[in-house]
C-alpha cells in the first residue's frame, strides 16, 4: 500500500523535508504519547522533550497533513474571540490571565525558528485591513485593547497610508502589527518535527490511532502497534474524527480554501504588497493573502461548514482576489487546495483532561497558528505539575453546537450569513 501523501498544495510541492517516517508496527513504551503531528502536538512534544521526557508522536497521515500544513501562514495574535469578549463573558480575572498569554504563541514560533534554525521563509509584519468605517473603528478599539495588555508594536493606517502596504483601493485603513508576520507553514511544522527528533523524540507516520484505552498507564492502539504511556495528549483537532466521541461533539470541522499564483515579477510583487506584509481583512468571512518566499501571491478565504471539499476552489477564491487586486486579471493559478480548521460554538479554544492523564487542546476557530503553539507550552507545563495556566483555559465552558450533528451546519451557516450582511452594509 502506498504511503499517504499531502494534499496537492504549494506548500507540499515546496516542502524542505519529503522524508517519510516509519509506521508503528510494535508494542512500545513512552513517557508521553502525542496523537497528531501538527502544531499542537509538536509544540507540546518539543516542550516536553526539552524537559527530558521520552516522547512518541503518532500521526495518522503525514507530518502537518492537516491545518498545520495547509493554512495561510500568518502570525495573528490573541484568540478568535478577543480579550474584551473573554472578560465580559467569563470575568475580569479570566480575561486578564488570558490576556497575559495572548501574544505568547508568536514568540514561541520565533523561538523555535531561531533555536532550531528552521528554514520557513519567515517575514515580518501583519495588517488587519478594514473594508469600511465601522471596521476601522473596531481596529482602533483593538489597538487600545492590545496596548492595555502590553502589546505596543501597533500602528493605525489611514486610507492613504495603507496604500504604502497594499496596492488596492479596497480598504479604508487598517492596523499594522509589527510583531505579526508570515512563513511557510508546512516547512515550520516539518522543522519542528526535525527538532523533536534531534532531542530523541520519535514520530510515526501512517499510524492512525484506532483506540485509546484509559488507565493509570494509557494504551494508544494503532492498526499494527501500541504505545503505552504515562500521559497522552490528543492533538488531532479537525482531523481527529470520532476517535474520542466526547471531543467530537464539542466542535465542528470547517474548511478554508487557498490558491497560489504562478511566480510574479518583482514589479508585480512591489505593486501588490510593497512592504511584503501579510494581510487579513476584517470581515466575518475574511480574505487573507501574502507573498511566498519565491514571489507568488497566496490568497485564501471562504468557509465551508462540515469540512466538505468544494469542487472548484478557484471559482470561489479568484473573484475575491480580483476584487482586491484587479491588476492580476489573467494571472495563472498554479495551486488550489482546501484545509479544515475546528470551530467551537464560542469560538474559543477547548482545553481539558479525560481521567487523570489524557489531555487535549482543540478548536482554535481560525486562530490556530499562534494558539496551538501556546497550547503546547501550556499542556507541557500542566503535565509537569504547573497547571495554573492550563486551569484558566480548562475553566472555559465547552458547549456543543445546537441541533447536534444534523442541524449544526445549517445553523452555523445562517449565523455566518447574518454577519456577512453586517460586513456588507458596514454595521
Amino acid at each position: 500500500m502506498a504511503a499517504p501523501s499531502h494534499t496537492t498544495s504549494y506548500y507540499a510541492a515546496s516542502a524542505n523535508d519529503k522524508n517519510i517516517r516509519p509506521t508503528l508496527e510494535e508494542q512500545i513504551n513512552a513517557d508521553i504519547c502525542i496523537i497528531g503531528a501538527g502544531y499542537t502536538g509538536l509544540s507540546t512534544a518539543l516542550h516536553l522533550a526539552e524537559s527530558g521526557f521520552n516522547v512518541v508522536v503518532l500521526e495518522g497521515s503525514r507530518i502537518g497533513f492537516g491545518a498545520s500544513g495547509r493554512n495561510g501562514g500568518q502570525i495573528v495574535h490573541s484568540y478568535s474571540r478577543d480579550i474584551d469578549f473573554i472578560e465580559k463573558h467569563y470575568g475580569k480575572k479570566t480575561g486578564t490571565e488570558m490576556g497575559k498569554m495572548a501574544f505568547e504563541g508568536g514568540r514561541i514560533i520565533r523561538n523555535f525558528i531561531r533555536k532550531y534554525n528552521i528554514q520557513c521563509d519567515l517575514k515580518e509584519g501583519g495588517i488587519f485591513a478594514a473594508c469600511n468605517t465601522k471596521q476601522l473603528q473596531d481596529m482602533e478599539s483593538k489597538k487600545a485593547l492590545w496596548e492595555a495588555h502590553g502589546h505596543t508594536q501597533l500602528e493605525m493606517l489611514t486610507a492613504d497610508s495603507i496604500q504604502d502596504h497594499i496596492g488596492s483601493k479596497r480598504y479604508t485603513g487598517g492596523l499594522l502589527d509589527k510583531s505579526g508576520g508570515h512563513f511557510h507553514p508546512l516547512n515550520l511544522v516539518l522543522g519542528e518535527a526535525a527538532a523533536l527528533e534531534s532531542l530523541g523524540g520519535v514520530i510515526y507516520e501512517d499510524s492512525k490511532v484506532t483506540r485509546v484505552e484509559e488507565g493509570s498507564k494509557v494504551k494508544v492502539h494503532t492498526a499494527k502497534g501500541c504505545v503505552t504511556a504515562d500521559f497522552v495528549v490528543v492533538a488531532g483537532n479537525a482531523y481527529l474524527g470520532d476517535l474520542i466521541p466526547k471531543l467530537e461533539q464539542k466542535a465542528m470541522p470547517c474548511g478554508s480554501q487557498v490558491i497560489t499564483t504562478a511566480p510574479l515579477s518583482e514589479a508585480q510583487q512591489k505593486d501588490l504588497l510593497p512592504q511584503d506584509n501579510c494581510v487579513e481583512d476584517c470581515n466575518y468571512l475574511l480574505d487573507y493573502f501574502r507573498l511566498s518566499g519565491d514571489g507568488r501571491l497566496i490568497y485564501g478565504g471562504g468557509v465551508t461548514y462540515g469540512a466538505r471539499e468544494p469542487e472548484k476552489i478557484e471559482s470561489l477564491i479568484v473573484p475575491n482576489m480580483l476584487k482586491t487586486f484587479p491588476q492580476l486579471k489573467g494571472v495563472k493559478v498554479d495551486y488550489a487546495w482546501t484545509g479544515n480548521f475546528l470551530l467551537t460554538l464560542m469560538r474559543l479554544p477547548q482545553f481539558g483532561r479525560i481521567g487523570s492523564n489524557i489531555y487535549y487542546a482543540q478548536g482554535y476557530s481560525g486562530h490556530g497558528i499562534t494558539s496551538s503553539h501556546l497550547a503546547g507550552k501550556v499542556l507541557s507545563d500542566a503535565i509537569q505539575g504547573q497547571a495554573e495556566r492550563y486551569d484558566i483555559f480548562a475553566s472555559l465552558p465547552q458547549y456543543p453546537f445546537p441541533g447536534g450533528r444534523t442541524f449544526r451546519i445549517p445553523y452555523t451557516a445562517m449565523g455566518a450569513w447574518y454577519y456577512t450582511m453586517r460586513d456588507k452594509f458596514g454595521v
Side-chain angles (χ1 to χ4, degrees), residues 96-423:
T96 298
E97 293 304 315
M98 290 188 67
K100 291 177 182 178
M101 295 183 275
F103 311 100
E104 187 176 341
R107 295 194 293 270
I108 291 171
I109 291 170
R110 286 186 169 87
N111 178 58
F112 283 162
I113 291 172
R114 180 178 60 254
K115 186 174 183 179
Y116 297 108
N117 192 29
I118 298 174
Q119 303 301 307
C120 60
D121 300 327
L122 176 65
K123 303 177 185 182
E124 302 298 333
I127 295 172
F128 300 96
C131 299
N132 54 55
T133 302
K134 171 65 166 55
Q135 291 179 357
L136 188 60
Q137 292 171 346
D138 290 342
M139 288 303 99
E140 291 171 346
S141 299
K142 179 187 285 288
K143 181 175 184 289
L145 174 68
W146 284 11
E147 287 176 340
H149 287 270
H151 188 61
T152 58
Q153 297 174 274
L154 303 167
E155 178 186 339
M156 289 300 303
L157 301 173
T158 65
D160 290 331
S161 62
I162 202 170
Q163 295 289 313
D164 296 331
H165 299 268
I166 309 173
S168 174
K169 302 293 186 183
R170 188 176 180 184
Y171 304 112
T172 58
L175 178 64
L176 170 64
D177 183 358
K178 298 174 185 177
S179 74
H182 55 111
F183 55 87
H184 189 301
L186 181 56
N187 279 337
L188 174 63
V189 73
L190 290 168
E192 292 170 349
L196 173 65
E197 291 168 331
S198 75
L199 298 175
V202 179
I203 303 171
Y204 293 96
E205 294 183 309
D206 193 15
S207 299
K208 183 178 180 179
V209 175
T210 58
R211 182 165 57 95
V212 178
E213 188 177 338
E214 299 179 35
S216 58
K217 295 273 190 178
V218 187
K219 291 187 177 182
V220 183
H221 299 269
T222 68
K224 299 180 180 180
C226 178
V227 180
T228 301
D230 296 322
F231 293 94
V232 167
V233 175
V234 181
N237 266 280
Y239 292 81
L240 186 63
D242 59 359
L243 176 65
I244 312 288
K246 296 176 184 177
L247 302 188
E248 192 271 341
Q249 298 168 4
K250 296 179 179 181
M252 178 173 62
C254 298
S256 183
Q257 291 75 53
V258 189
I259 62 172
T260 304
T261 69
L264 305 174
S265 69
E266 289 190 15
Q268 285 176 306
Q269 294 174 51
K270 285 290 185 183
D271 178 49
L272 301 181
L273 293 164
Q275 308 299 324
D276 206 2
N277 302 135
C278 61
V279 180
E280 67 171 52
D281 69 31
C282 299
N283 288 331
Y284 182 82
L285 299 182
L286 56 83
D287 286 1
Y288 49 90
F289 50 90
R290 64 186 185 88
L291 292 171
S292 67
D294 60 353
R296 304 167 183 269
L297 183 68
I298 299 174
Y299 201 105
V303 173
T304 52
Y305 296 102
R308 61 182 178 84
E309 296 199 6
E311 293 182 4
K312 298 180 180 179
I313 295 170
E314 289 184 43
S315 67
L316 295 175
I317 303 302
V318 169
N320 290 353
M321 180 184 74
L322 294 180
K323 184 177 179 180
T324 305
F325 297 119
Q327 61 267 48
L328 287 180
K329 185 176 181 179
V331 71
K332 184 174 183 292
V333 173
D334 278 351
Y335 301 92
W337 69 95
T338 189
N340 297 334
F341 64 93
L342 197 63
L343 182 73
T344 68
L345 184 64
M346 300 305 291
R347 289 172 53 198
L348 285 168
Q350 298 172 341
F351 288 49
R353 189 175 64 212
I354 300 170
S356 62
N357 52 2
I358 301 175
Y359 287 84
Y360 65 86
Q362 66 172 22
Y364 308 111
S365 302
H367 271 60
I369 290 177
T370 53
S371 294
S372 59
H373 283 85
L374 170 65
K377 173 60 174 168
V378 171
L379 292 176
S380 170
D381 289 345
I383 288 170
Q384 296 178 71
Q386 299 173 322
E388 294 83 1
R389 302 203 305 169
Y390 162 83
D391 288 341
I392 293 293
F393 280 102
S395 71
L396 299 174
Q398 300 177 13
Y399 302 116
F401 278 89
R405 297 186 66 171
T406 303
F407 295 106
R408 66 184 183 180
I409 293 174
Y411 283 169
T412 306
M414 284 190 291
W417 176 86
Y418 168 76
Y419 285 107
T420 299
M421 290 300 101
R422 286 173 60 97
D423 289 333

Side-chain angles (χ1 to χ4, degrees), residues 24-52:
L24 179 66
E25 296 183 341
E26 57 186 324
Q27 313 287 315
I28 62 174
N29 298 307
D31 297 331
I32 316 288
C33 180
I34 311 282
I35 302 173
Y39 292 147
T40 300
L42 288 175
S43 177
T44 308
L46 254 181
H47 282 107
L48 287 166
E50 288 175 342
S51 297

